[in-house]
Amino acid sequence: MPIDTTGIMGVLRAISDLHISYAENRAMVAELKPTDPDDWLIVAGDIGELTADIEWALALLRERFARVIWVPGNHELWTVKQETSPLRGVRRYESLVEMCRRLDVITPEDPYPVWTGAGGPVRIAPLFLLYDYTFLAPGATTREESLEKAYAAGIVCTDEFFLHPDPYPTRQDWCAARVAATELRLSEVTGPGSPPLVLVNHWPLVRSPTEVMTHQEFAQWCGTVRTADWHTRFDVRAVVYGHLHIPRRTVHDGVPFEEVSLGYPREWRRFGLRDDLARQIWPRPRDITEGAAA
């Protein structure tokens, strides 16, 4: 039976992998609207590759939603020849953060906001963690062997050509720095009296969701084992991610993980579009039911 949300003022919604370089996806984003003026929207990465496109989408969504929270995906971090800005790596990321601040969009570099609407309070923690090739390809025991298997199978992420880690020597070094800094921040906002967390990252925090992918060699570009216990170690009520283009809800150790991607047109044409493109993340259906009963 559908949950009755009558009387609920505003909810927290999420979407990712908009890929608006495709005209069909851009048209859908142009039509994306809240169901209530108090709705918040999480955008969990991969809006597009060009700064102008990213700015267009975030500006539009910020006009419509009470608050917008963004984390970068790998596509935002690419430096492609069509881009007017030559910035790479950390400098490119920092330029996107500056753009978001001009638009009043929250980023991983800002204080974590607290949702105080229905089902709250919960603290929304936007994360930027990257990956470090530790989701090894089947049969591999080292990063080098894992990459070799991927190249041999012809399953190689485009990040290898366009996502530059400057000034870090490698993407895994950048990942290690991001994980360490984020882990410290999460420790500082948890504890007695602190609101529970909703974690948001473009890449999944655990490997399990990647196990349904057709090409397992690709998993090494999908996260890091360093975050495998974060959903149990911290007081986490939900995890939001994208990247896999396999929109679904799974539960790990009692914590719901929400993959909220739109994906490429060839994918959603094949499998169909969800009714809730901007999926409700909070309050959880259980919280709505309890609120209605109260």
Side-chain angles (χ1 to χ4, degrees):
M1 178 180 298
I3 298 298
D4 181 8
T5 60
T6 303
I8 298 296
M9 299 299 293
V11 298
L12 176 64
R13 300 187 175 278
I15 193 169
S16 74
D17 297 79
L18 302 176
H19 294 292
I20 63 170
S21 61
Y22 294 89
E24 303 97 316
N25 285 24
R26 190 181 185 97
M28 279 191 276
V29 172
E31 295 299 318
L32 191 64
K33 296 175 182 177
T35 55
D36 186 279
D38 291 326
D39 284 357
W40 289 17
L41 181 67
I42 292 167
V43 182
D46 277 8
I47 295 171
E49 299 78 28
L50 302 181
T51 301
D53 282 348
I54 300 166
E55 184 169 11
W56 172 83
L58 289 176
L60 178 72
L61 296 172
R62 182 62 188 90
E63 288 177 359
R64 296 174 175 176
F65 287 83
R67 182 161 286 188
V68 174
I69 301 165
W70 168 82
V71 299
N74 51 313
H75 282 245
E76 280 104 338
L77 300 173
W78 287 1
T79 302
V80 296
K81 62 182 180 180
Q82 299 92 336
E83 178 61 272
T84 56
S85 169
L87 297 178
R88 294 160 52 123
V90 173
R91 290 187 63 197
R92 176 167 176 81
Y93 170 61
E94 290 174 344
S95 74
L96 293 173
V97 169
E98 291 171 4
M99 178 193 73
C100 285
R101 287 174 172 168
R102 291 195 303 271
L103 298 174
D104 190 31
V105 170
I106 296 169
T107 77
E109 306 311 308
D110 299 314
Y112 297 152
V114 176
W115 167 265
T116 57
V122 291
R123 192 184 304 275
I124 317 302
L127 315 178
F128 167 39
L129 302 174
L130 280 166
Y131 52 85
D132 59 5
Y133 305 89
T134 51
F135 291 176
L136 296 174
T141 58
T142 66
R143 171 184 171 272
E144 292 74 19
E145 186 179 358
S146 186
L147 278 171
E148 183 179 344
K149 286 179 175 291
Y151 274 89
I155 307 298
V156 180
C157 185
T158 309
D159 292 2
E160 295 296 309
F161 310 100
F162 295 137
L163 202 167
H164 307 287
D166 314 21
Y168 292 95
T170 66
R171 283 175 285 275
Q172 57 266 37
D173 289 318
W174 194 3
C175 173
R178 294 296 313 185
V179 169
T182 304
E183 194 170 22
L184 179 61
R185 282 191 72 186
L186 292 176
S187 298
E188 291 172 345
V189 298
T190 56
S194 298
L197 296 166
V198 173
L199 301 183
V200 181
N201 189 49
H202 178 66
W203 297 268
L205 298 184
V206 297
R207 179 162 185 167
S208 298
T210 71
E211 293 172 356
V212 299
M213 294 192 307
T214 301
H215 301 290
Q216 285 297 297
E217 296 87 355
F218 193 80
Q220 59 199 296
W221 289 281
C222 295
T224 170
V225 298
R226 296 169 184 258
T227 60
D229 67 345
W230 284 16
H231 65 290
T232 55
R233 178 178 164 195
F234 301 109
D235 185 11
V236 175
R237 302 300 168 84
V239 176
V240 177
Y241 69 100
H243 190 59
L244 304 186
H245 295 198
I246 307 174
R248 60 178 182 150
R249 176 181 296 118
T250 58
V251 178
H252 305 276
D253 302 301
V255 178
F257 279 58
E258 306 276 359
E259 209 280 15
V260 294
S261 59
L262 171 58
Y264 300 128
R266 67 177 183 271
E267 295 167 330
W268 54 255
R269 283 198 196 102
R270 179 182 178 187
F271 298 107
L273 286 169
R274 305 190 312 272
D275 292 333
D276 56 340
L277 281 183
R279 187 184 307 166
Q280 180 174 327
I281 301 300
W282 204 265
R284 305 293 304 167
R286 179 185 65 252
D287 300 323
I288 295 173
T289 302
E290 290 172 352

